[in-house]
mmCIF file of all heavy atoms in Angstrom:
data_model
loop_
_atom_site.group_PDB
_atom_site.id
_atom_site.type_symbol
_atom_site.label_atom_id
_atom_site.label_comp_id
_atom_site.label_asym_id
_atom_site.label_seq_id
_atom_site.Cartn_x
_atom_site.Cartn_y
_atom_site.Cartn_z
ATOM 1 N N VAL A 66 72.846 56.905 53.019
ATOM 2 C CA VAL A 66 72.318 58.040 53.718
ATOM 3 C C VAL A 66 70.887 57.722 54.118
ATOM 4 O O VAL A 66 70.210 56.939 53.453
ATOM 5 C CB VAL A 66 72.382 59.278 52.782
ATOM 6 C CG1 VAL A 66 71.325 59.235 51.707
ATOM 7 C CG2 VAL A 66 72.329 60.558 53.552
ATOM 8 N N ARG A 67 70.433 58.276 55.234
ATOM 9 C CA ARG A 67 69.052 57.995 55.621
ATOM 10 C C ARG A 67 68.481 59.145 56.447
ATOM 11 O O ARG A 67 69.210 59.893 57.091
ATOM 12 C CB ARG A 67 68.976 56.705 56.419
ATOM 13 C CG ARG A 67 69.804 56.756 57.690
ATOM 14 C CD ARG A 67 69.591 55.507 58.500
ATOM 15 N NE ARG A 67 70.296 55.624 59.769
ATOM 16 C CZ ARG A 67 69.878 56.378 60.787
ATOM 17 N NH1 ARG A 67 68.770 57.079 60.688
ATOM 18 N NH2 ARG A 67 70.579 56.444 61.907
ATOM 19 N N LEU A 68 67.176 59.273 56.415
ATOM 20 C CA LEU A 68 66.455 60.209 57.271
ATOM 21 C C LEU A 68 66.658 59.841 58.735
ATOM 22 O O LEU A 68 66.867 58.683 59.059
ATOM 23 C CB LEU A 68 64.945 60.121 56.992
ATOM 24 C CG LEU A 68 64.406 60.743 55.726
ATOM 25 C CD1 LEU A 68 62.893 60.539 55.665
ATOM 26 C CD2 LEU A 68 64.703 62.247 55.691
ATOM 27 N N LEU A 69 66.527 60.809 59.630
ATOM 28 C CA LEU A 69 66.438 60.472 61.047
ATOM 29 C C LEU A 69 65.183 59.629 61.246
ATOM 30 O O LEU A 69 64.180 59.824 60.574
ATOM 31 C CB LEU A 69 66.363 61.744 61.883
ATOM 32 C CG LEU A 69 67.595 62.632 61.792
ATOM 33 C CD1 LEU A 69 67.572 63.656 62.918
ATOM 34 C CD2 LEU A 69 68.881 61.828 61.886
ATOM 35 N N ARG A 70 65.250 58.693 62.155
ATOM 36 C CA ARG A 70 64.140 57.750 62.310
ATOM 37 C C ARG A 70 64.131 57.167 63.717
ATOM 38 O O ARG A 70 65.079 57.320 64.479
ATOM 39 C CB ARG A 70 64.300 56.618 61.301
ATOM 40 C CG ARG A 70 65.467 55.720 61.666
ATOM 41 C CD ARG A 70 65.810 54.686 60.611
ATOM 42 N NE ARG A 70 66.977 53.939 61.057
ATOM 43 C CZ ARG A 70 67.799 53.298 60.253
ATOM 44 N NH1 ARG A 70 67.592 53.306 58.953
ATOM 45 N NH2 ARG A 70 68.826 52.633 60.745
ATOM 46 N N ALA A 71 63.056 56.475 64.039
ATOM 47 C CA ALA A 71 63.023 55.630 65.228
ATOM 48 C C ALA A 71 62.752 54.213 64.752
ATOM 49 O O ALA A 71 62.195 54.019 63.678
ATOM 50 C CB ALA A 71 61.947 56.109 66.185
ATOM 51 N N GLU A 72 63.167 53.217 65.543
ATOM 52 C CA GLU A 72 63.017 51.832 65.102
ATOM 53 C C GLU A 72 62.353 50.974 66.167
ATOM 54 O O GLU A 72 62.628 51.117 67.360
ATOM 55 C CB GLU A 72 64.387 51.242 64.768
ATOM 56 C CG GLU A 72 65.039 51.910 63.571
ATOM 57 C CD GLU A 72 66.425 51.350 63.298
ATOM 58 O OE1 GLU A 72 67.276 51.433 64.214
ATOM 59 O OE2 GLU A 72 66.647 50.826 62.197
ATOM 60 N N PHE A 73 61.482 50.092 65.703
ATOM 61 C CA PHE A 73 60.824 49.123 66.577
ATOM 62 C C PHE A 73 61.481 47.763 66.400
ATOM 63 O O PHE A 73 61.691 47.322 65.270
ATOM 64 C CB PHE A 73 59.336 49.000 66.222
ATOM 65 C CG PHE A 73 58.530 50.219 66.537
ATOM 66 C CD1 PHE A 73 58.382 51.232 65.600
ATOM 67 C CD2 PHE A 73 57.917 50.362 67.778
ATOM 68 C CE1 PHE A 73 57.637 52.365 65.889
ATOM 69 C CE2 PHE A 73 57.161 51.496 68.069
ATOM 70 C CZ PHE A 73 57.027 52.502 67.127
ATOM 71 N N TYR A 74 61.790 47.102 67.489
ATOM 72 C CA TYR A 74 62.346 45.741 67.471
ATOM 73 C C TYR A 74 61.444 44.843 68.304
ATOM 74 O O TYR A 74 60.935 45.273 69.339
ATOM 75 C CB TYR A 74 63.754 45.727 68.087
ATOM 76 C CG TYR A 74 64.793 46.374 67.224
ATOM 77 C CD1 TYR A 74 64.946 47.758 67.215
ATOM 78 C CD2 TYR A 74 65.631 45.614 66.407
ATOM 79 C CE1 TYR A 74 65.906 48.365 66.416
ATOM 80 C CE2 TYR A 74 66.593 46.222 65.603
ATOM 81 C CZ TYR A 74 66.724 47.585 65.602
ATOM 82 O OH TYR A 74 67.664 48.177 64.817
ATOM 83 N N ALA A 75 61.257 43.605 67.865
ATOM 84 C CA ALA A 75 60.402 42.682 68.605
ATOM 85 C C ALA A 75 61.223 41.541 69.184
ATOM 86 O O ALA A 75 62.242 41.135 68.621
ATOM 87 C CB ALA A 75 59.326 42.124 67.681
ATOM 88 N N LEU A 76 60.811 41.023 70.344
ATOM 89 C CA LEU A 76 61.488 39.892 70.979
ATOM 90 C C LEU A 76 60.450 38.900 71.487
ATOM 91 O O LEU A 76 59.621 39.235 72.339
ATOM 92 C CB LEU A 76 62.344 40.384 72.151
ATOM 93 C CG LEU A 76 63.104 39.276 72.908
ATOM 94 C CD1 LEU A 76 64.216 38.707 72.048
ATOM 95 C CD2 LEU A 76 63.664 39.816 74.208
#
Side-chain angles (χ1 to χ4, degrees):
Chain A
V66 75
R67 60 175 185 75
L68 285 180
L69 297 195
R70 70 188 177 203
E72 294 177 301
F73 292 89
Y74 288 82
L76 180 70

